Structures are given as C-alpha cells and as structure tokens.
C-alpha cells in the first residue's frame, strides 16, 4: 500500500498591525485561501482544494501557518497564495499578505525549519534591543530552544518576540 | 545561490511608508531594491529631479533575511514615453542607477527595443496590450541585454487587472520564450510585497518555466544592474570617476581599462 504524499507549506501571515493577528482562526484562513485558489484557477482550482487541502496549524500570535496539500497540486495552490490580500474574520475585513517560508514533505521538516527561522529572527532583532539585560534575556531564549520541548519553547519565544517588537 | 532583487518600489513622499516597505523587503529576503520615480515625458520642458539620497531615509539600513549584509537601495527612473522624439539622453539620467521606459505604441516599443539607451522596458499590466509583440524587436532587445518587466501589484489588487497581467505576460512569453524577463513588485504599501519564492512560483502562472521564473527575480535582475552599470562607462570597458582629494582641480581620471573594469565594484 502506497501512502498519499503531501506537501506542507509553511507560511507567514503579515498584517499592517500585528495585534489584529489575534482575530484569526483556522476556518477564516481556510475559506480565504480556498476562495483565492478558486478565483485564480477557477473550478479546477476549487476541485483541487477539495482534496486533502487543510490548515494544519495556525499560530494567531506570530501568524505562522501550516498548510497541507497533495504533492501533485501544491504548485497550483502555492501560485494562488500571493493573491490573498485580505482575510475575513468575525465580520471584520483584515488586509494581509501571506508569504510562503518553506515547503516540506513532512510536517516535521517544516517544524525544524521554523525553529531555525525564529532563532534567526531574534538575531535580527538583537541589534534593536535598547539595554544590555534585554539582549541577554533574548539570547537565553534563543539558546534554550530545542525540538524536544517544542511546544512550551515556542510559546515562550513568541512572547519574547512580542516583547522585543513592543520595545522598539 | 543567487540573491534576490526587487527593482520596482514606487516612490512616495511619505518617508515612513517608504521605510516600512524597504524594511519589509529586507524581511522577505530581497538583497536589492530600487525606488522607482515615475515621470511622464511631455513635449514641452520637463524636469528630471535629482533623487533623494538613501542616507536621508535610514540611519542604518535593515539587514537582509538570511544574510548578514544590509539591503542595497538604488534609484530608478521610469519614463512614460508617447513620442519617440521626447526621449533623448540627458545628463539628468546619470543621477539614477536604473532607467526604464514605458512604450505606449508599437512604434515606440520597436524604438525602445532597438535604439533607446535604457535598461528595462515595462510591459503595461493595467490594460490590454494595444499591440502584439513582434519577434524582431524583442530579439533585438534580448541581444542588447535590455530586460522586460512585469509588475505584479496590480494583479494582487484587482481581478480584472490580474487577467490583463496574465494575458499580457503570456503574450510576451510567446515571443521572448522566457528570456530576459524580470518580475518586480511596483509596491505602494508594505502589504503589496510578496516573498521571492512566492513570486518565482507565480512566474509559472505567467508562462515562465521553473528555471526562468527563478531567474526573473534573481540573476536577471543582477544582469539588469550590470547593464545599467555599463551605461555609465564607455562600452563597459572604461570608467571615469572624479577625483575627490583635490578640491581645486576636479580632473577626470582614467584608469587602466582592464583593471578598472574588474575592480569596479558593482
């Protein structure tokens, strides 16, 4: 028995004001993406979306998004992603942009990439820290990051990121 | 690995907006961006302003994602031409790193491909292309190293524009077969920008092959910049610069041709 192969797209949702990311939920993102694909590729695109296309994970704080789709059609879905310009959530229309950061064959490789990416992100933010303690604090968070304690660490990291960007 | 470049960011007087866009571009992984100044050439006198220096925008340029280098910001001039006689090489063009042209008619397109001293020919994406791309001028442009540009921001904003963008792009690809094409944003807001990998994938919709699509955001942009560099030199061999040490005598100095061409950092 051969398993169905999938592609996982690791995406990032950008918004003009980060706090409004909190309003996102899986369903609204899924609908927006499906609409975008069917607008770009018509009925064929909508049909492809019906097959194994799903939002696997959404972090409403950082805007990180995991999408799953069939390996044979991932390029079709990916090519519609740039056309997403707004998401509708709880009756509000939020202008946004969806960028793909990584494409992986398993969700695990995407996870690994995300950790590396976030670590790099903090390093980019380091020069913007104002005090020495802030730098030390952020660096500690980076160093303690590992795949084992993924869940808690990611949460912590998110908070750190939020702090740093608020401190700018 | 080739670095990514976005050679079309619309200039706005709003400094903060511009700064936001460039920061977003750095975040997305673009190593080079060009700020676009759009001027419509009129029959009467038109003035080409000197672009604002990049130092005014930033105290410290943002670092590119995944690299340790700061982003490179260039100035680009786009001329909207409606008559061939309006375009003449003037000293004002020297202030800009890149020069692009928007031909409005078929005759002008031919002239732009064959004779105009420009780096980029913009393809209109907001309306239906009023003429077909013919093989001879396009081939001429490819031989001269002039690039065709497709902007994707109108396609993101509006469904009708998207149709025009795709049909014009496809009609261009039919003629140039994916060679000498660059894809750039034409962004006015930070949210108009998309990541370089997304764009190279979007190239597939525009009828480019996988390799050509990637080249359209990376190596072709670099080639454009090099082409622009040669415009300032004599046939790309000799480059003259002003000596800055002596204030009284501003004499132009010529370096040994072979060395200067190699050592001149691009």
């Amino acid at each position: 028995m051969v398993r169905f192969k999938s592609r996982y797209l690791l995406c990032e949702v950008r918004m003009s004001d980060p706090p409004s990311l909190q309003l996102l939920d899986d369903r609204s993102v899924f609908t927006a993406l499906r609409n975008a694909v069917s607008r770009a590729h018509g009925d064929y695109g909508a049909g492809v979306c019906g097959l194994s296309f799903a939002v696997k994970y959404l972090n409403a704080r950082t805007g990180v998004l995991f999408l799953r789709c069939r390996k044979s059609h991932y390029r079709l879905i990916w090519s519609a992603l740039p056309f997403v310009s707004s998401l509708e959530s709880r009756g509000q229309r939020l202008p946004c942009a969806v960028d793909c950061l990584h494409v992986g064959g398993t969700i695990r490789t995407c996870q690994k990439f995300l950790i590396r990416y976030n670590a790099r992100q903090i390093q980019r933010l380091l020069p913007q820290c104002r005090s020495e303690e802030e730098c030390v604090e952020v660096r500690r968070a980076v160093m303690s990051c590992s795949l084992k304690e993924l869940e808690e660490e990611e949460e912590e990291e998110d908070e750190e990121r939020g702090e740093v960007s608020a401190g700018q | 690995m080739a670095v990514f470049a976005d050679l079309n960011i619309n200039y706005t007087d709003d400094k903060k907006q511009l700064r936001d866009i460039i920061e977003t571009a750095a975040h997305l992984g673009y190593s080079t961006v060009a700020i676009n100044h759009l001027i419509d050439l009129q029959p009467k006198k038109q003035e080409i302003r000197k672009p604002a220096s990049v130092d005014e925008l930033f105290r410290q340029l943002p670092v590119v994602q995944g690299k340790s280098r700061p982003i490179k910001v260039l100035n680009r001039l786009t001329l909207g031409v409606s008559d061939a006689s309006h375009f003449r090489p003037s000293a004002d063009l020297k202030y800009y790193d890149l020069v692009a042209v928007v031909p409005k008619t078929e005759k002008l397109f031919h002239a732009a491909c064959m004779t105009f001293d420009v780096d980029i020919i913009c393809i209109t994406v907001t309306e239906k292309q009023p003429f077909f791309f013919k093989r001879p001028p396009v081939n001429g442009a490819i031989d001269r190293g002039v690039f065709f540009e497709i902007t994707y921001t109108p396609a993101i904003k509006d469904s009708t524009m998207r149709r025009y963008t795709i049909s014009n792009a496809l009609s261009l690809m039919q003629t140039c077969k994916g060679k000498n094409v660059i894809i750039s944003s034409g962004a006015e807001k930070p949210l108009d920008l998309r990541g370089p990998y997304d764009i190279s994938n979007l190239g597939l919709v525009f009828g480019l092959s996988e390799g050509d699509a990637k080249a359209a955001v990376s190596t072709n942009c670099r080639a454009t910049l090099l082409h622009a560099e040669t415009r300032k030199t004599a046939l790309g061999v000799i480059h003259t610069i002003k000596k800055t040490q002596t204030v009284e005598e501003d004499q132009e100095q010529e370096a040994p041709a072979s060395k200067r061409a190699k050592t001149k950092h691009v």
Side-chain angles (χ1 to χ4, degrees), chain A residues 14 75 78 82 84 100 124, chain B residues 24 27 63 190 193-194 198 201:
Chain A
R14 273 188 295 133
R75 277 188 182 277
W78 188 9
V84 180
C100 186
R124 284 183 80 225
Chain B
T24 315
H27 172 80
V63 177
L193 278 172
R194 295 293 185 269
D198 289 333
N201 197 56

Side-chain angles (χ1 to χ4, degrees), chain A residues 16 22 79 92 154:
Chain A
S16 42
Q22 305 274 0
S79 66
Q92 278 173 298
E154 212 170 73

Side-chain angles (χ1 to χ4, degrees), chain A residues 12 14-16 36 39-41 74-75 78-79 81-85 95-100 117 120-121 124, chain B residues 23-24 26-28 62-66 155-156 162 166 190-191 193-195 197-199 201-202 204-205 210:
Chain A
E12 188 182 38
R14 273 188 295 133
M15 291 214 177
S16 42
R39 255 185 303 143
H41 298 292
Y74 82 99
R75 277 188 182 277
W78 188 9
S79 66
L81 285 189
F83 296 130
V84 180
S85 58
C96 72
V98 181
D99 299 305
C100 186
Y117 178 80
R120 269 205 320 245
Q121 224 49 32
R124 284 183 80 225
Chain B
E23 264 163 20
T24 315
H27 172 80
L28 290 173
V63 177
V64 179
Q65 176 84 54
I156 287 172
R162 191 177 310 160
I166 291 174
L191 284 182
L193 278 172
R194 295 293 185 269
Y197 289 106
D198 289 333
I199 294 314
N201 197 56
L202 189 65
L204 299 181
V205 178
E210 219 165 295

Side-chain angles (χ1 to χ4, degrees), chain A residues 85-102:
Chain A
S85 58
S86 68
L87 292 172
E88 204 147 331
S89 175
R90 301 187 197 155
Q92 278 173 298
R93 209 175 169 74
L94 308 162
C96 72
V98 181
D99 299 305
C100 186
L101 303 176
H102 183 77

Side-chain angles (χ1 to χ4, degrees), chain B residues 1-49:
Chain B
M1 201 182 93
V3 293
F4 296 109
D6 185 353
L7 298 182
N8 191 349
I9 283 178
N10 266 345
Y11 176 78
T12 49
D13 287 324
D14 187 359
K15 288 263 167 64
K16 190 179 170 298
Q17 177 97 315
L18 204 57
R19 218 175 288 145
D20 276 351
I21 297 177
I22 294 170
E23 264 163 20
T24 315
H27 172 80
L28 290 173
Y30 289 105
S31 294
T32 312
V33 291
I35 299 170
N36 187 20
H37 302 251
L38 189 70
I39 292 177
D40 252 327
L41 282 186
Q42 301 298 324
K44 283 182 200 146
K45 68 159 185 111
Q46 83 284 327
E47 56 177 71
I48 295 170
R49 279 179 304 158

Side-chain angles (χ1 to χ4, degrees), chain B residues 49-75:
Chain B
R49 279 179 304 158
K50 218 174 159 179
S53 133
V54 177
D55 305 334
E56 284 174 32
L57 274 179
F58 287 102
R59 268 189 301 124
Q60 196 185 3
L61 286 166
V63 177
V64 179
Q65 176 84 54
K67 306 258 190 305
S68 51
R69 256 180 254 136
I71 194 167
K72 204 159 105 186
V73 183
L74 304 169
N75 282 302

